[in-house]
Amino acid sequence: MLDHLIQGATLVDGTGAPSRSADVGLRGGRIVSVTDAGRNEETAATREDATGLVLTPGFVDPHTHYDAQLFWDPYATPSLGHGVTTVAGGNCGFTLAPLNPARPDDADYTRRMMCRVEGMALAALEEGVPWGWSSFGEYLAALDGHTAVNAGFMVGHCALRRYVMGPDAIGGAASPAQLEAMVTLLRQSMTEGAWGLSTTQSSTHSDGDGKPVASRHASREELIALSSAVGEHEGTQIEAIVAGCLDQFSDEEISLLVDMSVAAGRPLNWNVLTIDAAVPERVPRQLLASSRARAAGGRIIALTMPILTPMNMSLGTFCALNLIPGWGDILGLPVPERIVRLADPDVRAGMLRRATSPEAGVFRRLADFGRYVIGDTYSAANAGLSGRVVRDIAAERGQDPFATLVQICSADDLRTVLWPMPTDNDLGSWELRRSTWQHPDVMLGGSDAGAHLDRMCGAPYTTRFLGDCLRRRKLVPLEQAVQMLTADPASLFGLRERGTVAVGNHADLVLFDPERIDAGPATLVHDLPGDSPRLDSRAEGVVSVRVNGVETVRDDKLSGAVPGTVLRSGRDTRTVATR
């Protein structure tokens, strides 16, 4: 007898094959039968008529930061509601384990670092995470049996460095003995289930004290030694961030990424490839790393988002504006002093020069302040401005847009929420995205789900992309779109028996209405521990989500079940070799 039978669905199985009408039978958390519609005559404990609905594999998000959130939110919302059944965490060099038991204060350091660098609410980290582990295996064990999604995690270079070197991890070079201890700890973590190594060399990543995070102090020798250790374990990967990920790689960065992948004999993925027709040289420059890696016996994968993900800005709290060269010094001042400095025309002129200079790199995209939309406001002086474009307000006031924006924010004591309109929503950029997606070393992903919670909401990229493919731009066929969200990332990570609808595979499944599939607008909610805020987005048209055969979502409502598996390297992943 089957546990459940889905009848008459339009099956898009993740392989890229044409869709077909099918019955799919489930038993014991697995797919046990896939037949033409109407041909399955087995008895079933439950069954449903899925005529007119599309059935696909569960979506795999290759770049999240759910490392902490899963403790207070085992459903990984909003990702689960948007059909994501497997998440990859532990990215960008930042993980909650291992922690050195001889230094209990390292947990506080890690919390403050995650608050600063990944935009996680400090109160949520303090109140919502148990922090009772030392080893990486103990961290994974704390999640076992308590997640509604399948979740796998890299081990972060920053955690390895902090464990071995303590405070000297910031600013210090590792001694030979310390490097060997890091390699040993990495090996132990992978033996306990870590998917591999994540690291960052990005100039935008600073800890809670405003200092460059630990991995930014690593030598090339250290990075290569750790990468080599990754290749000693089954089912492992590397994820790496360098400064050039934001715009264009330097020759040195390409050489480093290639050598890391080759040393490991494993794929290395990075994010995020920003595609903009106004900067046509960026895509070929970034993908040069991939071609050189293949020639050398490695593989480098660029993650790119298939949607435009709005990110709000503020002159009052840390955000991407702080990362524009020279801006951090001003935006880091106490609010009263900051308001005074921002009121100075000479200061603003200097800020604008820096924001539009070549050194600002990709952050130049943020410098067109006339294209900002005013979000939430908090003063009587700003009544009626929410939803208006700064350019229009500036014209009414006879000011330049940046002066107008500063004036509005100052009236709110810098609490105003600002939404930059995208600069790359033109036909040329979408056509460049479509063609870039065909590259064998480009993969969809980079949602950052679980991070930057009050700034952006990238988790709904799956449903929004499908809605776009079915009813709006139609850049790729549905079968290819589903493959890009399922089998492609599953193959990169070597996930065993996941990513396609096939007999014997785990029953991670999404059932949706093709006429309605989409993502709703992002709205601010206060549902984190400590009443901290985050942006949330509800799915539209998702009828059912199953994880390991168990229904976790029905008509946008969580079932309360937690059937997810904490995926461990080797046991749940196979090696994806590069040579």
Side-chain angles (χ1 to χ4, degrees), residues 336-536:
E337 187 177 349
R338 199 180 318 171
I339 290 173
V340 171
R341 293 294 303 281
L342 289 168
D344 186 332
D346 291 336
V347 170
R348 293 198 305 271
M351 294 174 72
L352 285 174
R353 280 195 299 272
R354 299 293 295 275
T356 56
S357 68
E359 66 176 333
V362 75
F363 295 111
R364 292 193 300 271
R365 294 157 54 93
L366 299 176
D368 189 352
F369 294 102
R371 292 176 57 85
Y372 279 50
V373 175
I374 302 299
D376 296 337
T377 62
Y378 299 90
S379 67
N382 288 335
L385 295 184
S386 293
R388 296 198 60 193
V389 180
V390 170
R391 181 194 305 113
D392 298 336
I393 304 170
E396 293 171 2
R397 297 183 181 185
Q399 299 173 312
D400 72 81
F402 188 42
T404 298
L405 182 144
V406 166
Q407 188 179 73
I408 293 168
C409 293
S410 296
D412 282 336
D413 291 329
L414 305 186
R415 297 171 62 200
T416 319
V417 176
L418 307 168
W419 291 95
M421 289 191 288
T423 59
D424 51 357
N425 196 22
D426 56 290
L427 291 176
S429 292
W430 283 108
E431 174 56 28
L432 183 57
R433 290 185 184 99
R434 186 200 62 76
S435 61
T436 302
W437 296 340
Q438 311 307 315
H439 193 285
D441 293 323
V442 172
M443 191 171 73
L444 299 190
S447 75
D448 256 3
H452 314 294
L453 298 176
D454 61 344
R455 293 274 178 229
M456 59 177 281
C457 190
Y461 77 96
T462 51
T463 52
R464 185 164 289 130
F465 175 54
L466 290 174
D468 198 50
C469 290
L470 284 165
R471 298 188 305 279
R472 294 187 289 273
R473 295 183 186 88
K474 301 181 180 179
L475 295 178
V476 297
L478 176 62
E479 291 85 353
Q480 182 183 353
V482 169
Q483 181 178 2
M484 294 162 78
L485 297 173
T486 59
D488 285 355
S491 296
L492 171 67
F493 293 125
L495 297 182
R496 297 183 187 274
E497 300 162 339
R498 300 187 193 273
T500 60
V501 178
V503 172
N505 276 8
H506 298 279
D508 298 339
L509 300 168
V510 182
L511 189 65
F512 65 83
D513 180 349
E515 300 298 322
R516 296 177 51 238
I517 187 69
D518 217 328
T523 57
L524 196 66
V525 297
H526 289 75
D527 64 354
L528 301 182
D531 200 35
S532 301
R534 66 168 177 143
L535 288 168
D536 189 22

Side-chain angles (χ1 to χ4, degrees), residues 227-228 230-232 236-238 258-268 297-299 575-579:
S227 298
S228 297
V230 169
E232 299 169 5
T236 50
Q237 300 273 320
I238 300 175
V258 168
D259 288 351
M260 288 173 66
S261 176
V262 170
R266 298 287 188 272
L268 178 153
R299 189 179 179 204
T575 294
V576 179
T578 63
R579 56 177 181 267

Side-chain angles (χ1 to χ4, degrees), residues 281-327:
E281 67 274 15
R282 180 182 293 138
V283 169
R285 176 63 184 179
Q286 299 303 73
L287 295 184
L288 181 61
S290 298
S291 60
R292 288 187 177 174
R294 283 184 178 269
R299 189 179 179 204
I300 293 175
I301 309 295
L303 302 188
T304 191
M305 287 289 276
I307 66 169
L308 299 179
T309 305
M311 176 179 283
N312 66 50
M313 300 292 150
S314 168
L315 297 180
T317 56
F318 187 87
C319 67
L321 293 175
N322 294 64
L323 303 177
I324 297 173
W327 281 51

Side-chain angles (χ1 to χ4, degrees), residues 2 9 19 35 75 81 113 115 122 170 175 203 210 325 370 388 394 401 418 434 460 487 496-497 499 518 534 579:
L2 298 173
S19 63
T35 63
Y75 312 105
M113 177 185 71
C115 177
L122 185 58
I170 305 298
S175 68
S203 56
R388 296 198 60 193
L418 307 168
R434 186 200 62 76
R496 297 183 187 274
E497 300 162 339
D518 217 328
R534 66 168 177 143
R579 56 177 181 267

Side-chain angles (χ1 to χ4, degrees), residues 144-163:
D144 275 327
H146 299 288
T147 68
V149 295
N150 307 307
F153 301 89
M154 304 286 193
V155 62
H157 190 179
C158 289
L160 297 175
R161 250 189 164 245
R162 183 79 184 188
Y163 188 104

